[in-house]
Amino acid sequence: MERIAPRRDVALMKGYHSAQVDVEVRLNTNESPYPPPLEWKQALAQQIEKIDFNRYPDRSAWQLRSEIAKLHKVEPEQVFCGNGSNEVLQAILLAFGGASRTALVFEPTYALHSHIARITQTNVAIAQRDENFSINLDSLVKEIEQAKPSVSFFCSPNNPTGMVDSPQVLDVGLKQNSGLVVVDEAYGQFSSFSALSLFDEELPLAVVRTFSKTWSMAASRLGYMIAPTWVVQACESVILPYHLDALKQQAGILALKFEKEMQQRVNELVDQRNLLFAKLEELDLQLWPSEANFILFRPLKMSGYRLWEELLKRSILVRDCSSWPRLDNCLRVSIGTPQENNIFIQALQEVLNE
Ligand SMILES: *Cc1c(COP(=O)(O)O)cnc(C)c1O
């Protein structure tokens, strides 16, 4: 019997991969090197006993949304949660993208924005960041006029370059545009500026955050967006019923009680990032300033791929971005524990000085 083929565009898609190799020093996916507080785990274990596992969870995730709303001083109706921020991005595109609509992205940037757009059959307009990987205001105006995007994606700090999109960029993006402006702030807590400061029920602005990075909860798959009520409602209408399981909802609610501990870990990682940056500056590398928990760098005297291989031989895994558009020879290192960062910098010195 003839087998049904997947959608033609889907058959051509490559999916999204990051190597999961067994190594001693894992600095490739921007996770937190620290586990969540032990008290959080214990509190969660206690909550598990209270969950009615034979019943569906709270479909509206109301308590979780209320706690997130308190954190950001907004209303629960302005909070939408998903299984990781990637599912939030997918809901946005299901609701506001789709056939005959366009999503605008500024490359180089997080590959999943355009990947999810394509899966939802949204056209992708690709604009380029300038040579410093910032978004030029004049070209921003032009790109929006041309593409007339239903959704414009900004990523701040931008993965993988580490830079923050300025308030002026977002301002122009919002004024120029009747579409939705999405700011992916997966690394927002590491940065000095957040688009949340612009948030307003009357503005078509959605700020997306995640528990995966700063909250040390990548395994929990929980993300959210702060957006006007009408954006939240549209996303709720495309999501599957009961998409957030009871355990995940409790994990998020309890995590928010440990905000101080989260902030301590963020401060520690920012200190480590600044230390590592200073050490990288002494080597034969091109570097980009970062406001996230990673640093993008390019070796000047050897190929990026070879450097990546040499680090891997020493059981250190960083992200190989060297085949991505405009990032030839670039690698991205996540900030680890002080010990991991030392092992990395010593190996790097060794390889580059060989
Ligand atoms: C890591 C990352 C995410 C996180 O995705 P989750 O689904 O929340 O784990 C989102 N956006 C960017 C830019 C990221 O780097």
Side-chain angles (χ1 to χ4, degrees):
M1 223 168 68
E2 206 182 327
R3 282 188 307 185
I4 179 75
R7 253 165 57 190
R8 254 168 82 90
D9 55 338
V10 169
L12 295 171
M13 283 175 190
K14 285 202 220 78
Y16 179 83
H17 298 290
S18 184
Q20 286 195 313
V21 193
D22 229 356
V23 289
E24 273 156 42
V25 178
R26 179 183 305 282
L27 301 173
N28 67 326
T29 44
N30 299 341
E31 293 148 318
S32 176
Y34 302 112
L38 183 61
E39 293 75 20
W40 171 80
K41 272 195 203 166
Q42 289 166 340
L44 186 58
Q46 278 183 0
Q47 280 301 325
I48 288 178
E49 296 197 359
K50 296 190 195 147
I51 293 175
D52 291 327
F53 275 99
N54 53 322
R55 301 294 175 191
Y56 282 108
D58 174 10
R59 183 166 173 173
S60 68
W62 192 253
Q63 198 191 348
L64 174 61
R65 288 165 66 198
S66 302
E67 297 299 329
I68 293 171
K70 260 190 242 160
L71 176 70
H72 293 297
K73 302 187 174 59
V74 298
E75 299 301 321
E77 290 87 350
Q78 295 169 319
V79 180
F80 174 80
C81 296
N83 290 287
S85 54
N86 287 332
E87 195 188 37
V88 176
L89 299 169
Q90 186 189 50
I92 291 171
L93 282 161
L94 285 170
F96 294 95
S100 80
R101 292 190 166 203
T102 298
L104 176 63
V105 301
F106 295 87
E107 290 200 335
T109 191
Y110 188 49
L112 274 195
H113 297 154
S114 47
H115 183 66
I116 301 173
R118 291 187 180 106
I119 291 173
T120 58
Q121 300 204 313
T122 311
N123 300 319
V124 180
I126 296 178
Q128 296 294 329
R129 288 165 187 267
D130 68 14
E131 60 276 16
N132 305 316
F133 298 143
S134 306
I135 297 175
N136 174 285
L137 290 179
D138 293 334
S139 66
L140 173 61
V141 171
K142 259 186 249 146
E143 296 289 353
I144 291 176
E145 269 173 14
Q146 256 174 27
K148 302 191 174 44
S150 300
V151 183
S152 305
F153 283 104
F154 297 87
C155 188
S156 184
N158 185 40
N159 182 5
T161 60
M163 272 131 78
V164 170
D165 290 329
S166 70
Q168 292 91 314
V169 164
L170 300 181
D171 209 39
V172 171
L174 284 163
K175 285 208 180 98
Q176 201 62 28
N177 199 356
S178 62
L180 189 63
V181 169
V182 177
V183 186
D184 185 337
E185 290 196 351
Y187 307 96
Q189 290 96 330
F190 296 109
S191 141
S192 53
F193 167 73
S194 167
L196 283 170
S197 60
L198 309 176
F199 177 72
D200 190 299
E201 177 68 21
E202 302 309 318
L203 270 185
L205 169 70
V207 181
V208 179
R209 292 212 162 180
T210 177
F211 282 75
S212 295
K213 313 285 163 54
T214 41
W215 290 95
S216 302
M217 283 168 60
S220 285
R221 311 302 304 125
L222 179 59
Y224 62 92
M225 107 182 140
I226 305 295
T229 314
W230 54 275
V231 176
V232 171
Q233 282 168 355
C235 287
E236 273 169 355
S237 63
V238 297
I239 210 77
L240 296 174
Y242 308 110
H243 68 133
L244 297 170
D245 67 74
L247 192 54
K248 183 191 311 273
Q249 292 187 33
Q250 281 305 324
I253 292 163
L254 291 172
L256 296 170
K257 299 192 194 303
F258 295 92
E259 199 206 344
K260 202 177 81 217
E261 287 80 355
M262 182 275 284
Q263 197 54 52
Q264 280 164 356
R265 292 194 296 267
V266 167
N267 295 345
E268 162 88 19
L269 288 168
V270 167
D271 288 347
Q272 284 293 316
R273 177 193 74 205
N274 296 340
L275 267 175
L276 186 63
F277 192 87
K279 288 189 181 152
L280 291 174
E281 273 185 313
E282 293 167 11
L283 298 173
D284 250 341
L285 300 168
Q286 186 179 4
L287 283 177
W288 286 269
S290 168
E291 293 208 37
N293 66 335
F294 55 81
I295 298 172
L296 184 75
F297 63 98
R298 173 188 272 150
L300 296 174
K301 301 217 174 101
M302 75 191 293
S303 93
Y305 184 71
R306 234 206 87 214
L307 177 55
W308 182 82
E309 275 186 326
E310 288 298 324
L311 290 170
L312 190 57
K313 274 188 209 157
R314 291 160 177 81
S315 204
I316 300 165
L317 185 61
V318 299
R319 191 67 187 266
D320 177 18
C321 312
S322 63
S323 62
W324 302 5
R326 296 189 54 207
L327 295 179
D328 42 299
N329 289 319
C330 286
L331 304 180
R332 187 196 69 195
V333 62
S334 310
I335 308 303
T337 62
Q339 194 197 6
E340 288 171 326
N341 300 334
N342 281 335
I343 295 172
F344 163 73
I345 198 82
Q346 274 168 24
L348 194 63
Q349 282 164 346
E350 187 184 298
V351 176
L352 291 176
N353 294 333
E354 248 167 28

